[in-house]
Amino acid sequence: MTASSGRLREFAAGVLTEAGALVERLEPEGLEALLPTHVQQALQTPDWLRLGFAAELPPGAQQVSLESDWLTRLGGLLGEGGRCATCVLPIAPPPLPHPERLLEHGLILHNAVYRLSGVRPAWTRYRLLVCRYTAISDEKREGIITFGMNLASGSAVDPFVDVLLAAGTDAASPQEASVPSDVELPPDWTIARLHACLTRALPPRVHAQLHPFVSGMQRRLDRDLAQVFEYYSGLRQESWQRLQRPGADAAREQLRLEAAEREYHAKVADLRQKYALRVTVQLSQALEVIMPVQRLTLLVRRRKGERQLAMDWNPLARKLEPPPCEWSYTSEVTRLVCDEALHLVSPPAHTPCAQCGKAYCRVCQPRHCPKCGQAGG
C-alpha cells in the first residue's frame, strides 16, 4: 500500500467509524462498512459499502482517490467536526552542545552578521494547515498542501511539517497533556497577519506541486497553437499563389485573407481560454501543536542597526527550523536584512525595481517602489 492510499483508507475508516458504521479493512487496500441509516442518507449509498483506495480494487469496491467525489461525500459526513484541533506534546528537549554548527548551515546572511547570544528551553505554538487545491484547465488536478508556521518566530517549518502533523494526529487526547502553568506561550496571530502569510506562502507551494501538470498543459497548448498556425498559414499561402495568376480577382482574395486572419485570431483566443488555468485552495483542517523547543537567540547587525532574532530547534524532528522571511515565508535559508527596519527577508523580497533598478524591501514597501513609484517594483 502506498503512503497516499494508506492515508486515504485510514481517513475514510476513521470518518465512518466516528459516524457509527461498522468498518473492516480489506486487502488489497480497501475496506467495507455496514452503515446506519443516517450515514446511508448522507452518503447516498445502501447499507453495505465497499471501497478501494489503489489501482487494484477488492471485488465490488468503488474507487476512492483525490479525483473522485468520495472525499467530498466523506467530508460532508464529517461536517465541521475535526477541522480544528489542539494538542500538547510535552517532549523534554535535550541540550544542544554545538548550536553554532547548526547555525552555520541553517542561516546564511548575505548583507549582515549575527552573533549567538543564548540558548534556552522554551515553549511554542505551531499552526499546521492542511489545504486542498483544485486546478482546472483542459484537465483537472487536485491535491493536498500541508503548511506550518511557528507562531513565536514566524518561521515556515516545511522541512518537518509532516513530522509535526503525524505526531499531533497520533497524540493522545488533549486532556492527557497540558502546558505548565508558568509557561508563557506566544500570542495568536491576527486574521490580517495570517491572511497575508497564506496569500504569499501558498501560491509558490501549490505551483511547485502543479509544475508537471502545468508543463504538460503548456506542451498541449503549444502543439495546438502550432497546428492552427500551420493550417492558416497554408490558407494564406494558397491565397497569395492565386493572386499571382493572370486575371486573379484581387479584391476577392483580399477578403479571403482578412477572413482567414480573423478566424486565426479567434481560434488562438479559444485555445488560450481552453487552456487557461484556474486554481482554488480551500482549508481542510487546522492543527495547533504546542510543545517545548530549544530557542536560539541571535543578535543580527546591519551597518549601525541591530535586532534580536529567535530560531527554534525542534526536539521531535531534531532539526533547526528555517529562519523567518517576513515577506514570503519561504523555507530556504538565505536571507537579507533591509536598512530601514532590519526586516529579515529572502532575496526575491529585496530585488531591484523593474523600472528604476533600486533594490528595496517589500515588507517596508509592499505596494510600490519608494524611488519611482512603480507598482509591484
Side-chain angles (χ1 to χ4, degrees):
M1 178 182 293
T2 64
S4 59
S5 62
R7 287 195 295 267
L8 281 176
R9 184 170 78 165
E10 293 310 308
F11 167 74
V15 171
L16 292 173
T17 301
E18 183 68 22
L22 298 177
V23 178
E24 182 177 350
R25 289 162 179 77
L26 302 175
E27 299 301 335
E29 305 185 34
L31 60 81
E32 62 181 6
L34 184 63
L35 310 178
T37 303
H38 72 281
V39 178
Q40 298 173 40
Q41 295 171 349
L43 298 179
Q44 299 180 354
T45 60
D47 61 350
W48 180 83
L49 177 66
R50 178 171 284 187
L51 301 175
F53 299 84
E56 184 180 359
L57 300 177
Q62 300 182 53
Q63 177 80 52
V64 179
S65 68
L66 291 175
E67 287 76 26
S68 72
D69 67 342
W70 270 104
L71 284 183
T72 301
R73 294 162 74 176
L74 290 168
L77 179 62
L78 184 64
E80 293 301 316
R83 290 190 181 273
C84 299
T86 299
C87 74
V88 178
L89 302 177
I91 302 171
L96 295 182
H98 303 291
E100 295 85 359
R101 295 181 184 176
L102 294 173
L103 289 169
E104 287 178 4
H105 303 284
L107 174 62
I108 300 173
L109 289 180
H110 275 180
N111 66 342
V113 296
Y114 68 86
R115 176 176 60 83
L116 179 64
S117 57
V119 180
R120 63 180 178 86
W123 283 70
T124 194
R125 302 164 64 191
Y126 290 104
R127 181 66 52 80
L128 311 179
L129 305 176
V130 180
C131 302
R132 182 178 180 182
Y133 66 82
T134 303
I136 301 176
S137 179
D138 62 320
E139 296 180 0
K140 180 180 178 181
R141 287 291 184 276
E142 292 182 307
I144 300 294
I145 287 287
T146 304
F147 175 69
M149 75 285 291
N150 185 331
L151 298 189
S153 64
S155 295
V157 292
D158 295 42
F160 51 87
V161 63
D162 290 335
V163 174
L164 292 176
L165 185 64
T169 53
D170 292 342
S173 63
Q175 290 76 16
E176 296 186 13
S178 60
V179 180
S181 58
D182 59 340
V183 166
E184 182 178 354
L185 292 175
D188 204 354
W189 288 10
T190 63
I191 296 297
R193 183 181 180 186
L194 183 60
H195 181 268
C197 169
L198 297 180
T199 300
R200 298 171 193 153
L202 290 182
R205 289 166 170 84
V206 173
H207 183 269
Q209 285 203 15
L210 284 175
H211 179 70
F213 172 68
V214 173
S215 297
M217 181 188 68
Q218 186 65 51
R219 286 193 297 269
R220 294 191 298 274
L221 173 60
D222 292 343
R223 176 202 62 200
D224 291 353
L225 287 173
Q227 291 175 349
V228 169
F229 179 80
E230 183 179 359
Y231 174 75
Y232 284 98
S233 292
L235 293 182
R236 185 177 182 181
Q237 184 66 27
E238 291 174 5
S239 291
W240 279 111
Q241 290 175 354
R242 285 194 292 268
L243 281 172
Q244 306 308 313
R245 298 171 186 170
D249 188 342
R252 182 180 180 183
E253 293 303 323
Q254 183 63 35
L255 289 175
R256 285 180 175 175
L257 283 171
E258 292 174 356
E261 185 77 9
R262 289 193 299 271
E263 289 178 8
Y264 170 72
H265 288 295
K267 291 289 187 182
V268 169
D270 288 343
L271 284 175
R272 296 195 182 281
Q273 183 175 5
K274 173 185 176 182
Y275 287 101
L277 181 62
R278 297 172 295 280
V279 181
T280 58
V281 181
Q282 292 181 318
L283 176 64
S284 296
Q285 290 178 305
L287 174 65
E288 183 173 79
V289 175
I290 302 175
M291 64 178 297
V293 294
Q294 286 285 11
R295 181 154 297 159
L296 285 67
T297 304
L298 288 71
L299 187 66
V300 177
R301 289 193 176 96
R302 164 70 177 165
R303 294 184 175 175
K304 295 183 179 180
E306 62 181 30
R307 64 172 291 191
Q308 282 196 337
L309 171 70
M311 293 176 63
D312 289 346
W313 183 86
N314 186 279
L316 192 65
R318 303 189 70 82
K319 289 182 179 180
L320 181 68
E321 66 185 25
C325 172
E326 295 172 84
W327 176 253
S328 65
Y329 299 93
T330 180
S331 61
E332 301 296 328
V333 300
T334 302
R335 296 290 183 267
L336 296 170
V337 178
C338 78
D339 290 331
E340 291 78 8
L342 300 182
H343 289 126
L344 200 70
V345 295
S346 58
H350 204 279
T351 52
C353 171
Q355 180 165 300
C356 69
K358 175 181 172 59
Y360 68 96
C361 172
R362 268 53 174 186
V363 183
C364 295
Q365 300 289 339
R367 293 182 176 85
H368 54 77
C369 172
K371 181 178 180 181
C372 69
Q374 172 74 9

